[in-house]
Short mmCIF file of all heavy atoms in Angstrom, two decimals:
data_model
loop_
_atom_site.label_atom_id
_atom_site.label_comp_id
_atom_site.label_asym_id
_atom_site.label_seq_id
_atom_site.Cartn_x
_atom_site.Cartn_y
_atom_site.Cartn_z
N ARG A 92 1.74 66.49 56.68
CA ARG A 92 2.20 65.69 55.54
C ARG A 92 0.99 65.00 54.91
O ARG A 92 0.19 64.37 55.60
CB ARG A 92 3.24 64.67 55.98
CG ARG A 92 4.48 65.30 56.61
CD ARG A 92 5.12 66.31 55.65
NE ARG A 92 6.24 67.01 56.23
CZ ARG A 92 7.50 66.75 55.96
NH1 ARG A 92 7.81 65.79 55.11
NH2 ARG A 92 8.47 67.45 56.52
N ARG A 93 0.87 65.13 53.59
CA ARG A 93 -0.27 64.57 52.87
C ARG A 93 0.12 63.26 52.19
O ARG A 93 1.23 63.10 51.69
CB ARG A 93 -0.77 65.57 51.82
CG ARG A 93 -1.35 66.84 52.42
CD ARG A 93 -1.87 67.78 51.34
NE ARG A 93 -2.95 67.18 50.56
CZ ARG A 93 -4.22 67.20 50.93
NH1 ARG A 93 -4.58 67.79 52.07
NH2 ARG A 93 -5.16 66.65 50.17
N LEU A 94 -0.84 62.37 52.16
CA LEU A 94 -0.67 61.08 51.49
C LEU A 94 -2.03 60.65 50.95
O LEU A 94 -3.03 60.65 51.69
CB LEU A 94 -0.11 60.03 52.46
CG LEU A 94 0.20 58.66 51.86
CD1 LEU A 94 1.32 58.78 50.83
CD2 LEU A 94 0.61 57.68 52.95
N ASP A 95 -2.07 60.35 49.67
CA ASP A 95 -3.32 59.94 49.01
C ASP A 95 -4.41 61.00 49.16
O ASP A 95 -5.60 60.69 49.34
CB ASP A 95 -3.82 58.60 49.56
CG ASP A 95 -2.83 57.47 49.31
OD1 ASP A 95 -2.09 57.56 48.31
OD2 ASP A 95 -2.80 56.52 50.11
N GLY A 96 -4.01 62.29 49.13
CA GLY A 96 -4.97 63.38 49.21
C GLY A 96 -5.51 63.65 50.59
O GLY A 96 -6.45 64.43 50.74
N ARG A 97 -4.93 63.05 51.63
CA ARG A 97 -5.42 63.23 52.99
C ARG A 97 -4.32 63.86 53.84
O ARG A 97 -3.13 63.64 53.61
CB ARG A 97 -5.84 61.89 53.60
CG ARG A 97 -6.93 61.17 52.81
CD ARG A 97 -7.18 59.78 53.37
NE ARG A 97 -7.68 59.83 54.74
CZ ARG A 97 -7.81 58.75 55.51
NH1 ARG A 97 -7.45 57.55 55.05
NH2 ARG A 97 -8.29 58.87 56.74
N ASP A 98 -4.73 64.62 54.86
CA ASP A 98 -3.78 65.25 55.78
C ASP A 98 -3.43 64.26 56.89
O ASP A 98 -4.27 63.50 57.36
CB ASP A 98 -4.39 66.51 56.39
CG ASP A 98 -4.58 67.61 55.36
OD1 ASP A 98 -3.78 67.67 54.41
OD2 ASP A 98 -5.54 68.41 55.51
N GLY A 99 -2.17 64.34 57.29
CA GLY A 99 -1.73 63.46 58.36
C GLY A 99 -0.34 63.84 58.82
O GLY A 99 0.08 64.99 58.68
N TYR A 101 3.90 62.12 59.67
CA TYR A 101 4.86 61.02 59.68
C TYR A 101 5.20 60.66 61.12
O TYR A 101 5.17 61.51 62.02
CB TYR A 101 6.16 61.41 58.97
CG TYR A 101 6.03 61.63 57.48
CD1 TYR A 101 7.07 62.24 56.77
CD2 TYR A 101 4.90 61.25 56.77
CE1 TYR A 101 6.98 62.46 55.41
CE2 TYR A 101 4.80 61.47 55.41
CZ TYR A 101 5.85 62.08 54.73
OH TYR A 101 5.76 62.31 53.38
N GLY A 143 6.18 55.29 59.17
CA GLY A 143 4.91 55.27 58.47
C GLY A 143 4.19 56.60 58.59
O GLY A 143 4.69 57.57 59.17
N TRP A 144 2.99 56.62 58.04
CA TRP A 144 2.14 57.82 58.02
C TRP A 144 0.80 57.48 58.63
O TRP A 144 0.28 56.38 58.45
CB TRP A 144 1.96 58.30 56.59
CG TRP A 144 0.98 59.42 56.39
CD1 TRP A 144 1.22 60.75 56.44
CD2 TRP A 144 -0.42 59.30 56.09
NE1 TRP A 144 0.08 61.47 56.19
CE2 TRP A 144 -0.94 60.60 55.96
CE3 TRP A 144 -1.28 58.21 55.91
CZ2 TRP A 144 -2.29 60.84 55.68
CZ3 TRP A 144 -2.62 58.45 55.62
CH2 TRP A 144 -3.09 59.76 55.50
N LEU A 145 0.26 58.45 59.38
CA LEU A 145 -1.03 58.25 60.03
C LEU A 145 -1.93 59.44 59.73
O LEU A 145 -1.50 60.60 59.85
CB LEU A 145 -0.85 58.11 61.54
CG LEU A 145 -2.05 57.60 62.36
CD1 LEU A 145 -2.36 56.15 61.98
CD2 LEU A 145 -1.75 57.68 63.85
N LYS A 225 0.76 53.71 57.54
CA LYS A 225 0.90 53.38 56.12
C LYS A 225 2.30 53.73 55.66
O LYS A 225 2.85 54.75 56.06
CB LYS A 225 -0.13 54.17 55.29
CG LYS A 225 -1.57 53.75 55.53
CD LYS A 225 -2.50 54.49 54.58
CE LYS A 225 -3.93 54.05 54.77
NZ LYS A 225 -4.85 54.76 53.83
N PRO A 226 2.91 52.88 54.82
CA PRO A 226 4.26 53.20 54.34
C PRO A 226 4.28 54.50 53.55
O PRO A 226 3.35 54.80 52.80
CB PRO A 226 4.61 52.00 53.45
CG PRO A 226 3.66 50.91 53.87
CD PRO A 226 2.41 51.60 54.31
N VAL A 227 5.32 55.26 53.72
CA VAL A 227 5.49 56.53 53.01
C VAL A 227 6.30 56.27 51.74
O VAL A 227 7.43 55.79 51.82
CB VAL A 227 6.21 57.57 53.90
CG1 VAL A 227 6.46 58.85 53.12
CG2 VAL A 227 5.38 57.85 55.14
N PRO A 228 5.75 56.58 50.57
CA PRO A 228 6.50 56.34 49.33
C PRO A 228 7.68 57.30 49.22
O PRO A 228 7.62 58.43 49.72
CB PRO A 228 5.47 56.60 48.24
CG PRO A 228 4.46 57.51 48.86
CD PRO A 228 4.41 57.13 50.32
#
Side-chain angles (χ1 to χ4, degrees):
R92 300 303 176 104
R93 294 181 62 85
L94 184 64
D95 298 332
R97 302 173 64 189
D98 293 328
Y101 293 167
W144 173 89
L145 193 66
K225 292 185 178 180
V227 176

